[in-house]
Amino acid sequence: MNVNFLASFQRLFFTVKPLRFEQVWFRLWRKLYPLRKLNSINTAIAPLNWVWSAPEVMMGSIIDEHHVCFLNHRGEVRSAVDWNDPSHEKLWLYNLHYFDDLNAVDSLSRKSSQLSLVNRWIIENPPVSGNGWEPYPLSLRLVNWIKWYNRAELDDPEIINSIQQQAEALSKQLEYHILGNHLFSNAKALVFVGCFLQGDQAARALQLGLNILKREIPEQFLSDGGHFELSPMYHCILLWDLLDLINLAKTSANSSLTDCLSDWEQFACRALDWLKVMIHPDGEVSFFNDSTIGIAASPTQIFDYAASLGLATTIDSLPSLLTLPCSGYSRISMLGHTTLFDHANVGPDYLPGHAHADTLSVEWSVGDERVVVNSGTSIYGLSSERLRQRQTAAHSTVEVNGKDSSEVWSGFRVARRAYGRLVSFIDDGNKVILSASHNGYFRRNKPVIHNRTLTAEVQQLKVEDSLDGKPTTAIAYFHLHPDVSITQIDSCRLLLSLNSGKNVILNSSEPIKVLPSTWHPGFGKEIVSTKVVIPFSCSELTTTFKLSSQTSLQV
């Protein structure tokens, strides 16, 4: 039998094996019985008259009624075909159908263009064809239209009629085949519909949405507060969604929601604590798994939104060591530098779509400046660049025998995956020692366990990598922020110069290579950067980052 066929079959087997039965069942059901038509709705029901109030944090995306900008790429919407133009990436088209602009910064100043585009969407996107009628964009658009409608002081039966149609379409294609943040978004949209419209359809939508949330919130928000997909960016998205639900309960005064308030607020407070642990001193999220800046609200905006709802993090100050046992992340906070350490699994076994092969990667800041980074995320889809950004070599960790720690493939697939374990930790006040391991390389023909120990002191961070087994080759990668300037002192030492004037001496037990790389702090963004590459054939490697006041090469 063909070797490539066997490898592909094996990869598919290990991808499908962890899925839940409901994911497989609903995927088959959607293939066999796709939604083809909706019942006609001829009477628009008058909406309830509560007015949404929340921070406007995202930047506007509607330039005028024919021009838009998403993911840092401009586009035109002049005819019906433009809503599904295949020359654009799928994610860009999804953003076109979200209508986030309706609640973006200074949203009502663009009311005329917004209303024109909303009415065009209704005419040019008939049920149930195109990207806009898929359940995820349906969910986000319903929430955006509902938030906007009363704020914009509209009285438009055609828009209400469309909201009713969209809600019906959503209720018939809930994303049980995906679960996770998609199903959460479906439920949130149904709850918004149920609190906005009146009548039997609205009541059914509300009950269905609340039933899903009753199941999903305790599962998706772990006991340490983290969202279970283990992406700081998606944590921000889902925490904002949870804050929106809390806001909706208070704004609409719907008794079915106010009954949930106490539980929702407890989950939100734990999630706020988690977020405070997982951000860099610059105030932005760390880049573990699918994470970047500008897609979700910023942490500061989230904390402000929570405060406006009477919620706050319970962490006043960060201790020198804080571990998140369920999520699998740790933070070391020394006087002059901060380390974030990923000893997590890739996420839920049945939902690793936003996972990267980044186990045991580190991110390190000196003061407010990022120094050691992961490469970030700038693209979704099925491209080779999407795959490269998910692979081990794009992260500050160790690649063994040319393989990834988890078998990432396609755009959102993972076959065999690494399982991380926090082995030990010591915090004596002046020094923190943190050890973890993963078995991602144990499945290979030459099985290896990767161990990484971090030792943080006031002036330095030491990273010790050891490999249990018989690796043929191993490479440690340390990706550097684009603002870091590098001078090679000798084969094993580098001088890293920061914008602040601070300096770091990187010292390795093995010879160092300095190679070009890229950093991706936003979708559609690529910034030239540098990576430190340290091949090692022995079973141990020590890399030390030491803060230095010296600026010359005499170090």
Side-chain angles (χ1 to χ4, degrees), residues 437-485:
S437 67
H438 79 79
N439 64 354
Y441 299 117
F442 199 78
R443 62 183 181 270
R444 309 297 179 185
N445 293 332
K446 299 178 179 180
V448 171
I449 295 291
H450 176 205
N451 308 284
R452 173 165 275 190
T453 297
L454 307 182
T455 303
E457 300 179 72
V458 174
Q459 291 295 315
Q460 74 172 26
L461 172 69
K462 181 166 66 174
V463 181
E464 297 172 283
D465 291 298
S466 65
L467 304 173
D468 294 342
K470 296 182 178 180
T472 303
T473 59
I475 301 175
Y477 295 93
F478 293 97
H479 292 261
L480 301 179
H481 189 276
D483 290 343
V484 177
S485 299

Side-chain angles (χ1 to χ4, degrees), residues 316-362:
D316 294 325
S317 60
L318 292 164
S320 53
L321 173 63
L322 208 160
T323 63
L324 299 166
C326 295
S327 303
Y329 293 107
S330 291
R331 179 193 184 98
I332 303 173
S333 302
M334 305 305 287
L335 183 60
H337 58 97
T338 302
T339 306
L340 292 166
F341 186 27
D342 173 7
H343 44 84
N345 299 329
V346 298
D349 271 340
Y350 66 87
L351 188 63
H354 292 294
H356 289 203
D358 62 355
T359 312
L360 299 194
S361 64
V362 296

Side-chain angles (χ1 to χ4, degrees), residues 263-274:
D263 287 343
W264 289 353
E265 289 174 341
Q266 290 180 44
F267 281 105
C269 286
R270 287 197 293 268
L272 291 166
D273 288 347
W274 190 94

